[in-house]
């Protein structure tokens, strides 16, 4: 009940006293706050975060070299063609144009080198910003030109150009910190540029996520045209990503800049993308999973749960200026999720799957390099060194095909022994493979010689040709490489013949291999049992995986029937010649030695 107009002041204070906390309530609140602070401090002591700012320039170069080595291991060492890593440090700028009404600017930099673009963080309210950020670019050759453009960030309108400068990088080495004058009425920018020579495969592997590859993997320059008969999705229409990339998850959220730009996040197997259109200001962020260093829970304005994505050193921002960090990294902060924890787990799962895929690709690439190395090596007195890194990843004796992908294709008999199968159809003197490929209308046939391989039991060789392709999604002829492996038992009654086919010019051709095994066992002097199994081994996932797997097995079944029919006719033609030769040999061995009188 409200106090009367003539009531004394003490009664009014007593009536409002319930609004003020008591001493006991204040003590409990302070004690709870101190307990929370103590628990957080204990957690930080028990789980210290690695210090990134403490590492110097030498350590950063060593880390970069280590990353390059991971992709350089399987491409023949440093003796091959070389490329360059251009390392640019954006240090500071001074005397920039005042773009705001209060006489300041909100500058950020857009660095372009070749076809790559990177964004620096935005420094609010400064004409003399300090960045100290690092950017790594991979180029094929020198000289190359680097363009640095300084912009003023605007909340609503398009960013204003404050000036730009183009710096040529002529040769390997470093320039040291240099102030460059912008092409505007006022302003300079301080850059430190260093060019490092690396093996070409290293830059390709990192630049294309080679391993990134790991699914769009590694040799993109060898991959044929990708044909996908489906309607383009958001990743293609908004962000211009390849047609084989699809959205796994999407979330409603907001990007933190000067204020929250509400939009939508799209997560695929390769990127985390964000799009916003607020006040007609388009914001597009495309974060490659290979550049993500850490994903952390955070808060926006204390009460709004958020997710912060940290990018690795040298990655730079993608799409819009990121937020800076004291340790030199950059970050993007997203808030206003319907379920922050669910999204956080999904993002972590996407990054972990990507890293697992990368490691699997490295193992697969090591085995492919080992197989190619063994097939291309000729037997000679000169010892050829096997890459140690391949042996370390794959072991001493390797299985030539993947046992788990094989399914039965043919089970029957064949009119010859295992020894005759080798001598007539597979030996170096036999023309069966060449004649069969020619009969199939294949061209540019190049068949190597059998030779021993230390990595595999038995002998190996390599076949290259342009094979006819009947699929409507493929070109009429596609380049094909087939690695062959043969093991004949000591008693010459058991034969294992294995092949691995890699087609280069078909959609998703670099994603899979066709593995096949022929098991031949002699039954009697004129027949043998023949078991053939085949399957598609996928080195990386693709959207047409099930269709490719079933189609490859069906196609190989047809090819096996054609090959066996041709082999039987070839055996019938080859046997009379072999029998005549054996008869002449026996006749010569049975004839008596000539006497001196006969001579």
């Amino acid at each position: 009940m409200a106090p009367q107009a003539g009531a004394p002041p003490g009664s009014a204070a007593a009536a409002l006293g319930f609004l003020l906390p008591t001493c006991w309530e204040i003590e409990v609140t302070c004690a709870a706050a101190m307990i929370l602070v103590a628990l957080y401090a204990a957690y930080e002591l028990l789980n210290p975060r690695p210090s990134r700012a403490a590492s110097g320039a030498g350590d950063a170069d060593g880390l970069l070299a280590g990353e390059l080595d991971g992709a350089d291991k399987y491409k023949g060492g440093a003796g091959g063609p070389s490329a360059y890593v251009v390392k640019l440090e954006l240090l500071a700028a001074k005397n920039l144009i005042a773009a705001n009404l209060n006489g300041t600017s909100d500058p950020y930099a857009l660095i372009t080198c070749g076809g790559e673009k990177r964004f620096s963080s935005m420094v609010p309210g400064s004409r003399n910003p300090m960045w100290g950020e690092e950017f790594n670019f991979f180029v094929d050759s020198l000289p190359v030109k680097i363009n640095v453009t300084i912009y003023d960030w605007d909340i609503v309108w398009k960013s204003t150009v404050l000036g730009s400068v183009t710096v040529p990088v002529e040769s390997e080495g470093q320039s040291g910190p240099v102030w460059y004058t912008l092409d505007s009425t006022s302003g300079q920018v301080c850059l430190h540029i260093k060019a490092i020579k690396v093996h070409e495969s290293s830059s390709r592997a990192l630049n294309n996520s080679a391993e990134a590859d790991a699914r769009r993997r590694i040799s993109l320059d060898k991959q044929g045209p990708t044909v996908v008969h489906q309607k383009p999705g958001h990743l293609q229409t908004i962000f211009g990503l390849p047609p084989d990339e699809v959205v796994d998850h999407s979330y409603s959220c907001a990007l933190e800049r000067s204020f929250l730009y509400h939009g939508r996040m799209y997560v695929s197997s390769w990127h985390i993308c964000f799009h916003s259109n607020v006040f007609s200001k388009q914001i597009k962020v495309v974060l490659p999973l290979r550049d993500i260093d850490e994903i952390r829970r955070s808060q926006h304005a204390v009460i709004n749960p958020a997710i912060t994505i940290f990018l690795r050193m040298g990655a730079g921002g993608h799409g819009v200026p990121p937020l800076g960090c004291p340790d030199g990294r950059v970050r993007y902060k997203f808030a206003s999720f319907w379920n922050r924890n669910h999204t956080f787990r999904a993002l972590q799962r996407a990054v972990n799957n990507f890293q697992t895929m990368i490691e699997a690709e490295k193992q697969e690439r090591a085995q492919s390099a080992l197989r190619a190395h063994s097939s291309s090596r000729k037997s000679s007195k000169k010892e050829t060194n096997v890459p140690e890194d391949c042996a370390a990843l794959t072991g001493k004796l390797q299985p030539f095909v993947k046992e788990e992908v094989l399914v039965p294709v043919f089970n029957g008999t064949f009119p010859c022994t295992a020894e005759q199968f080798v001598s007539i159809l597979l030996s170096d003197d036999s023309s069966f493979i060449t004649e069969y490929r020619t009969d199939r209308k294949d061209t540019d046939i190049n068949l190597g010689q059998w030779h021993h391989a230390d990595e595999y039991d038995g002998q190996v060789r390599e076949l290259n040709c342009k094979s006819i392709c009947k699929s409507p999604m493929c070109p009429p002829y596609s380049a094909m490489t087939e690695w062959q492996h043969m093991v004949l038992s000591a008693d010459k009654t058991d034969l294992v013949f294995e092949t691995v086919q890699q087609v280069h010019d078909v959609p998703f051709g670099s994603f899979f291999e066709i593995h096949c095994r022929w098991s031949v066992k002699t039954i009697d002097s004129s027949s043998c049992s023949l078991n053939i199994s085949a399957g598609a081994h996928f080195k990386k996932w693709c959207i047409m995986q099930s269709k490719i797997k079933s189609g490859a097995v069906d196609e190989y079944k047809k090819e096996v029937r054609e090959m066996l029919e041709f082999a039987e006719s070839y055996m019938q033609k080859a046997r009379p010649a072999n029998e005549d030769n054996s008869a002449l040999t026996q006749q010569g061995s049975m004839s008596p030695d000539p006497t001196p009188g006969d001579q």
Side-chain angles (χ1 to χ4, degrees):
M1 182 176 180
Q4 299 296 328
S11 60
L16 297 176
F18 73 95
L19 297 176
L20 300 176
T22 63
C23 294
W24 180 82
E25 292 174 339
I26 294 175
E27 291 175 358
V28 170
T29 304
C30 293
M34 293 177 64
I35 292 174
L36 289 176
V37 171
L39 291 175
Y40 181 77
Y43 175 80
E44 290 293 331
L45 289 175
L46 295 176
N47 300 277
R49 291 172 184 158
S51 176
R52 302 176 184 271
S55 59
D59 295 337
D61 292 343
L63 178 61
L64 178 61
E67 291 176 350
L68 295 175
D69 290 341
D72 185 49
K73 290 178 181 178
Y74 318 110
K75 296 295 185 179
S82 299
Y84 296 88
V85 179
V86 179
K87 177 180 175 181
L88 182 142
E89 293 184 44
L90 177 65
L91 301 177
K94 62 182 180 180
N95 301 327
L96 297 178
I97 298 175
N100 299 335
L101 296 178
N102 58 1
T104 62
S105 295
D106 303 320
Y108 69 92
L110 173 61
I111 299 98
T112 305
C113 181
E116 298 182 68
K117 295 182 179 181
R118 297 289 185 269
F119 287 80
S120 74
S121 61
M122 184 266 291
V123 180
S126 176
R127 294 181 57 196
N128 302 289
M130 301 289 292
W131 281 292
E133 297 176 6
E134 179 183 311
F135 306 87
N136 295 328
F137 299 95
F138 297 90
V139 296
D140 295 328
S141 60
L142 296 180
V144 69
K145 294 182 178 180
I146 298 178
N147 179 267
V148 180
T149 304
I150 310 296
Y151 290 89
D152 172 69
W153 174 262
D154 195 283
I155 297 177
V156 178
W157 311 114
K158 186 178 179 180
S159 299
T160 304
V161 177
L162 303 181
S164 66
V165 63
T166 301
V167 181
V169 180
E170 301 290 345
S171 60
E172 185 180 359
Q174 56 183 344
S175 64
V178 178
W179 286 95
Y180 296 93
T181 302
L182 302 177
D183 60 351
S184 57
T185 57
S186 175
Q188 290 181 308
V189 62
C190 184
L191 305 175
H192 181 198
I193 302 175
K194 180 191 299 183
I196 305 172
K197 189 175 183 180
V198 297
H199 191 262
E200 185 179 23
S201 61
S202 302
S203 65
R204 289 297 182 192
L206 287 179
N207 197 27
N208 295 332
S209 180
E211 302 49 290
D213 186 13
R215 260 187 332 209
R216 191 176 286 111
R217 174 174 171 175
I218 311 168
S219 52
L220 288 180
D221 49 345
K222 292 185 179 180
Q223 182 175 336
T226 301
V227 181
V228 180
H229 299 286
Q230 64 177 8
K231 183 179 179 180
H234 296 289
L235 298 180
Q236 289 75 40
T237 57
I238 299 177
F239 305 100
L241 295 178
D244 64 327
E245 194 160 350
V246 296
V247 176
D248 296 332
H249 307 282
S250 64
Y251 305 97
S252 176
C253 61
L255 173 68
E256 179 184 343
R257 293 304 316 153
S258 305
F259 68 94
L260 292 178
Y261 289 88
H262 193 80
R264 196 158 192 85
M265 175 186 289
Y266 303 92
V267 183
S268 73
S269 299
W270 296 92
H271 296 89
I272 297 176
C273 305
F274 175 81
H275 176 252
S276 173
N277 187 1
V278 178
F279 302 137
S280 298
K281 185 178 182 67
Q282 291 272 355
I283 292 181
K284 300 178 184 179
V285 178
V286 182
L287 304 180
L289 294 184
R290 68 175 181 270
D291 288 344
I292 294 178
D293 190 29
E294 183 183 2
I295 300 178
R296 190 185 302 173
R297 291 185 179 93
S298 57
Q299 297 291 131
H300 172 75
V302 181
I303 61 173
N304 189 359
I307 297 175
T308 303
I309 300 177
F310 294 84
L311 304 184
R312 60 177 175 81
M313 291 283 292
H318 301 264
V320 295
L323 302 174
C325 293
D327 57 8
R329 297 182 296 172
V330 295
R331 58 192 172 94
Y332 286 92
K333 192 172 185 179
F334 300 93
S336 300
F337 292 96
W338 286 103
N339 190 334
R340 191 271 306 270
N341 292 335
H342 174 75
T343 306
F344 176 78
R345 289 191 294 268
L347 296 182
Q348 279 195 326
R349 189 163 52 249
V351 174
N352 292 336
N353 291 341
F354 179 82
Q355 294 174 351
T356 302
M357 191 164 46
I358 291 295
E359 294 302 322
E361 286 246 356
K362 289 181 180 179
Q363 293 283 346
E364 189 64 36
R365 192 201 296 181
Q367 291 186 358
S368 298
L370 193 61
R371 186 187 301 122
H373 169 82
S374 302
S375 301
S376 61
R377 190 181 63 199
K378 305 287 185 175
S379 56
S380 63
K381 294 183 179 179
K382 183 178 179 181
E383 181 68 21
T384 305
N385 294 325
V386 180
E388 296 180 358
D389 300 302
C390 294
L393 283 174
T394 57
K396 183 61 179 175
L397 290 178
Q398 304 302 315
F400 198 79
V401 298
K402 296 290 185 181
E403 185 78 29
E404 61 272 12
V405 304
L406 299 179
V407 296
V409 172
F410 177 84
N411 188 5
T413 59
F414 194 75
C416 72
T417 64
E419 184 179 5
Q420 292 172 344
F421 197 96
V422 173
S423 61
I424 299 177
L425 299 180
L426 299 180
S427 66
D428 289 332
D429 298 332
S430 172
S431 61
F432 166 71
I433 298 294
T434 304
E435 291 185 15
Y436 169 71
R437 289 287 172 182
T438 304
D439 185 71
R440 290 186 73 250
K441 310 300 182 183
D442 294 347
T443 60
D444 298 342
I445 303 171
N446 183 13
L447 181 63
Q449 299 289 316
W450 289 110
H451 59 275
H452 290 279
D454 298 333
E455 301 82 13
Y456 305 104
D457 191 15
Q459 301 182 79
V460 294
R461 69 179 177 183
E462 183 176 338
L463 168 66
N464 291 280
C465 67
K466 286 189 176 180
S467 179
I468 189 169
C469 186
K470 302 178 182 179
S471 174
M473 298 176 60
C474 305
Y477 284 90
S478 58
M480 187 269 291
T481 301
E482 181 178 273
W483 295 278
Q484 299 180 355
H485 174 234
M486 177 179 64
V487 180
L488 183 63
S489 63
D491 57 2
K492 298 184 179 180
T493 58
D494 292 332
L495 168 68
V496 175
F497 175 61
E498 299 173 323
T499 63
V500 175
Q501 290 184 0
Q502 175 73 69
V503 187
H504 303 293
D505 302 328
V506 300
F508 306 104
S510 65
F511 286 53
F512 67 95
E513 296 172 337
I514 303 300
H515 290 206
C516 182
R517 173 180 293 160
W518 296 47
S519 298
V520 183
K521 186 181 292 290
T522 300
I523 299 176
D524 50 38
S525 59
S526 61
S527 64
C528 63
S529 64
L530 179 59
N531 296 317
I532 304 176
S533 54
H537 166 57
F538 281 83
K539 300 179 286 187
K540 44 191 170 178
W541 182 90
C542 68
I543 59 177
M544 302 180 65
Q545 180 167 326
S546 59
K547 185 174 181 60
I548 292 175
K549 185 179 296 185
S550 60
V553 173
D554 294 340
E555 189 68 25
Y556 197 81
K557 287 181 180 179
K558 299 177 183 177
E559 184 176 349
V560 164
R561 289 196 295 267
E562 297 175 0
M563 188 180 300
L564 292 178
E565 292 176 1
F566 192 87
E568 289 187 14
S569 62
Y570 184 87
M571 293 279 293
Q572 294 175 359
K573 292 188 299 181
R575 270 176 175 169
N578 291 342
E579 293 175 358
D580 293 342
N581 292 336
S582 61
L584 290 174
T585 303
Q586 293 177 0
Q587 182 179 359
S589 63
M590 294 175 60
S591 61
D593 294 334
T595 62
D598 295 336
Q599 291 179 357

